[in-house]
């Protein structure tokens, strides 16, 4: 393995580890829930992505095996991380904000989070007439 | 000790520390959603740790394990959020 490839892999590993650590540190230190979402969903994904690409380069340069597993995992994590963030943010809104505290959706409809269908939720109480929602 | 081994050790330390910070957040958190977010981050960090272990050992056995961690972490987080939002997971 060439020294250049080794340096590249080492740089990817170091940056990945730093990003992962910064993400977890943000999870502990940031002041409220919506800012705490920012740390892990961005930094940990970037950190894991660079570690996986470093692994791919390592197996390619060192053993001559070009494996696509890492790329598969990277793409999967990149696709699912925003969905996870969105769901956690909606659950957080549901748990700790009243309906009146949120900005209004456009054109006179209600947010579905507080609308019909939420009456089975163990935590949220729904009252008022059913309205179309988005 | 080569530069690659040094970088591996650094990355191992970083992700282990990140895992401990997430564990602290799981134990002491102001709300439910913080705990779920910390558990999701732990699953993602676990993928990185397994990949690093695979690099150190020079084997590709651990990729299936990391793929499973990615899928199970995603599905459990979404199931929790769905339960909070709707009171039901499969409507």
């Amino acid at each position: 393995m060439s020294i250049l490839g080794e340096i590249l892999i080492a740089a990817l590993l170091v940056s990945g580890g730093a990003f992962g650590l910064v993400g977890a540190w943000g999870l502990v230190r940031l002041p409220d829930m919506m800012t705490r979402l920012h740390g892990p969903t961005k930094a940990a994904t970037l950190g894991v992505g660079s570690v996986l690409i470093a692994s791919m380069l390592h197996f390619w340069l060192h053993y001559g095996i070009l494996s696509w597993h890492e790329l598969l995992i990277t793409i999967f994590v990149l696709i699912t991380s925003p969905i996870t963030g969105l769901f956690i943010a909606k659950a957080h809104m549901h748990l700790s904000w009243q309906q009146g505290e949120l900005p209004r959706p456009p054109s006179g409809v209600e947010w579905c989070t507080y609308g019909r269908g939420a009456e089975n939720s163990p935590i949220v109480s729904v009252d008022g007439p059913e309205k179309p929602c988005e | 000790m080569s530069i690659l081994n040094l970088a591996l050790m650094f990355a191992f330390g970083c992700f282990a520390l990140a895992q401990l910070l997430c564990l602290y957040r799981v134990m002491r958190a102001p709300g439910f959603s913080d705990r779920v977010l910390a558990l999701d981050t732990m699953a993602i960090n676990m993928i990185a740790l397994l990949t690093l272990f695979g690099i150190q050992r020079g084997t590709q056995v651990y990729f299936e394990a990391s793929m499973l961690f990615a899928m199970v972490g995603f599905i459990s987080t979404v199931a929790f959020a769905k339960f909070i939002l709707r009171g039901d997971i499969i409507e």
Side-chain angles (χ1 to χ4, degrees):
Chain A
M1 186 161 51
S2 68
I3 187 72
L4 204 63
E6 197 164 341
I7 287 173
L8 180 64
I9 293 167
L12 276 172
L13 283 176
V14 167
S15 72
F19 271 120
L21 186 58
V22 165
W25 183 243
L27 181 70
V28 172
R29 284 295 294 174
L30 284 173
D32 68 349
M33 180 59 212
M34 283 302 189
T35 49
R36 273 199 289 272
L37 266 177
H38 168 79
T41 50
K42 289 191 176 62
T45 308
L46 207 53
V48 170
S50 48
V51 167
L52 286 164
I53 289 170
S55 163
M56 193 173 173
L57 279 177
H58 175 74
F59 281 107
W60 185 27
L61 296 178
H62 203 120
Y63 300 100
I65 310 165
L66 187 54
S67 71
W68 298 98
H69 300 75
E70 293 95 334
L71 211 57
L72 204 65
I73 299 172
T74 312
I75 291 170
F76 186 81
V77 169
L78 281 179
I79 289 174
T80 56
S81 166
I83 302 173
T84 313
L86 173 75
F87 266 97
I88 293 175
K90 283 190 91 172
H92 170 69
M93 275 164 52
H94 224 128
L95 284 171
S96 54
W97 287 357
Q98 297 297 316
Q99 195 172 357
E101 293 178 78
L102 296 175
R104 298 251 59 78
S107 69
V109 293
E110 286 300 321
W111 295 116
C112 264
T113 318
Y114 296 91
R116 198 180 152 209
E119 65 264 17
N120 289 328
S121 170
I123 289 155
V124 178
S125 61
V126 174
D127 48 352
E130 288 173 6
K131 288 177 185 172
C133 57
E134 79 175 28
Chain B
M1 197 178 217
S2 72
I3 184 170
L4 186 62
N5 273 327
L6 277 175
L8 261 178
M9 284 302 125
F10 178 78
F12 264 124
C14 278
F15 277 106
L17 205 56
Q19 220 43 336
L20 284 179
L21 288 173
C22 289
L23 200 62
Y24 168 78
R25 186 43 93 188
V26 170
M27 285 189 294
R28 302 177 66 95
F32 285 123
S33 28
D34 284 284
R35 290 200 166 91
V36 179
L37 181 61
L39 280 173
D40 184 59
T41 314
M42 282 182 85
I44 284 183
N45 284 343
M46 202 62 217
I47 300 170
L49 278 174
L50 278 171
T51 312
L52 289 173
F53 195 61
I55 295 178
Q56 195 192 31
R57 290 278 166 190
T59 168
Q60 292 187 316
V61 179
Y62 299 102
F63 289 128
E64 279 78 13
S66 12
M67 197 73 212
L68 277 177
F69 260 97
M71 287 179 173
V72 172
F74 171 65
I75 289 172
S76 58
T77 311
V78 168
F80 173 80
K82 194 86 196 299
F83 179 71
I84 289 295
L85 288 171
R86 292 294 192 169
D88 201 353
I89 294 171
I90 303 170
E91 293 183 43

